[in-house]
């Protein structure tokens, strides 16, 4: 796309990312708006998106572009810069000293994780080259562009992007532009968004559950009188925190990426399914998330559902939504 004079720039593309720290496996869905300078309505246009990943250099030969990344380094959470090599030969030549880093990291992990054996298992299989293998940082025909003196590898051309392990530790760049439908010329300057380095979400910690027999002792409940083995069923009550209310400064102690619906929904589903309850009483289920996510996902697990939403809907992202209660049950 060549240089266009300001005459043809009738519009402006506004792009907001839901959070600035992308997470491996969590879709980034930017909020995009087109605004025109001299009319209320934008002329017929299409939006073009290009996603890029920062190009990185070899950890041994610093001027060479990295083409492979050590998977073990990522698994063992070693500094990501040390995982890059310019070729498989470079990685193979450096293997002996590289392996020492893996061993040191695996020992540290096993000491701090009360010897769960996982890291030690990795260490044992770390001897020969390549231990866990490596991943190629370039596709079949990668496009590399230079922007402001820095090289970027093209990784996507849709509005949304799901960061992969190849992106871990590197910044992403989204370029968005509005283009005239018939003439194909840009109607807006290119909007540029550069993220912080992509992270891997930390493993979730198990919940600290309160044992019911402790409640029994402390509150004098007579459970035995109410409890019978016949016809028992389990009920789960869970307030999932509607995305509508997970905004602004209310949860300032929580990083923005962890509050994002794209990140939370997978964890919520995993936990809810994990309890294997007969009846699930979910509160704050947003109407669009019920239709697009919870209903199809929990139906797959054999649940039927009754859903009741509140009556006062709010207009956001081109639709009316509100939260409600969903009761899923398994017969
Ligand atoms: Zn490594
Ligand atoms: Zn190298």
């Amino acid at each position: 796309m060549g240089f266009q004079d300001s005459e043809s720039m009738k519009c402006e593309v506004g792009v907001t990312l839901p959070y600035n720290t992308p997470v491996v496996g969590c879709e980034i869905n930017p909020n995009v708006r087109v605004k025109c300078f001299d009319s209320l309505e934008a002329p017929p246009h299409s939006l073009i998106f290009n996603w890029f990943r920062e190009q990185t250099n070899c950890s041994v030969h610093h001027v060479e572009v990295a083409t492979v990344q050590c998977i073990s380094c990522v698994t063992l959470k070693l500094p990501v810069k040390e995982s890059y090599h310019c070729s498989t030969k470079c990685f193979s030549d450096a293997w002996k000293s590289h392996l020492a880093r893996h061993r040191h990291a695996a020992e540290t992990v096993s000491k701090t994780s009360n010897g769960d054996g996982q890291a030690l298992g990795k260490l044992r299989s770390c001897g020969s080259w390549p231990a866990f293998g490596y991943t190629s940082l370039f596709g079949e025909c990668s496009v590399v562009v230079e922007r402001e003196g820095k090289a970027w590898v093209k990784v996507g051309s849709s509005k949304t992007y799901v960061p992969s392990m190849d992106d871990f530790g590197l910044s992403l760049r989204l370029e968005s532009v509005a283009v005239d439908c018939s003439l194909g010329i840009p109607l807006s300057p290119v909007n540029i968004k550069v993220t912080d380095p992509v992270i891997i979400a930390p493993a979730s910690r198990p919940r600290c559950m309160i044992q019911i027999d402790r409640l029994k002792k402390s509150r004098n409940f007579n459970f035995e009188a109410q409890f019978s083995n016949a016809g028992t069923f389990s009920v789960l009550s869970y307030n999932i925190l509607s995305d509508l209310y997970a905004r602004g400064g209310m949860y300032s102690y929580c990083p923005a990426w962890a509050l994002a619906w794209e990140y939370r929904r997978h964890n919520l589903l995993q936990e809810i399914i994990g309890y294997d309850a007969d009846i699930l009483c979910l509160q704050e289920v947003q109407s669009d998330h019920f239709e697009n996510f919870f209903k199809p996902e929990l139906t797959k697990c054999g649940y039927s559902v009754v859903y009741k939403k509140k009556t006062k809907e709010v207009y956001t992202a081109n639709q009316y939504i509100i939260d409600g209660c969903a009761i899923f049950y398994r017969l």
Side-chain angles (χ1 to χ4, degrees), residues 82-154:
E82 291 170 15
S83 66
Y84 299 116
H85 290 272
C86 55
S87 63
T88 48
K89 183 179 181 308
C90 165
F91 189 24
S92 162
D93 290 348
W95 180 244
K96 219 173 158 185
S97 57
H98 193 100
L99 179 61
R101 274 205 289 260
H102 288 184
R103 290 211 159 119
H104 180 71
E107 275 159 16
T108 313
V109 172
S110 61
K111 267 180 211 159
T112 51
S113 61
N114 297 327
D116 62 3
Q118 210 186 359
L120 276 175
K122 281 173 190 145
L123 172 67
R124 278 187 205 108
S125 56
C126 263
S128 56
W129 186 88
F132 289 100
Y134 47 84
T135 176
S136 170
L137 293 170
F138 292 91
E140 287 280 297
C141 32
S142 294
V143 176
V144 180
V145 298
E146 196 165 308
R147 303 278 196 262
E148 297 106 35
K150 200 169 169 179
W152 297 84
V153 183
K154 188 171 167 183

Side-chain angles (χ1 to χ4, degrees), residues 274-305:
Y275 291 122
D276 196 29
D278 299 308
I279 302 170
L280 312 171
C281 302
L282 308 184
Q283 299 101 53
E284 287 197 31
V285 182
Q286 201 169 295
S287 46
D288 53 333
H289 296 160
F290 170 73
E291 288 298 338
N292 306 333
F293 185 66
F294 284 112
K295 190 178 171 186
E297 291 297 331
L298 289 169
T299 303
K300 279 185 221 162
C301 300
Y303 287 98
S304 302
V305 64

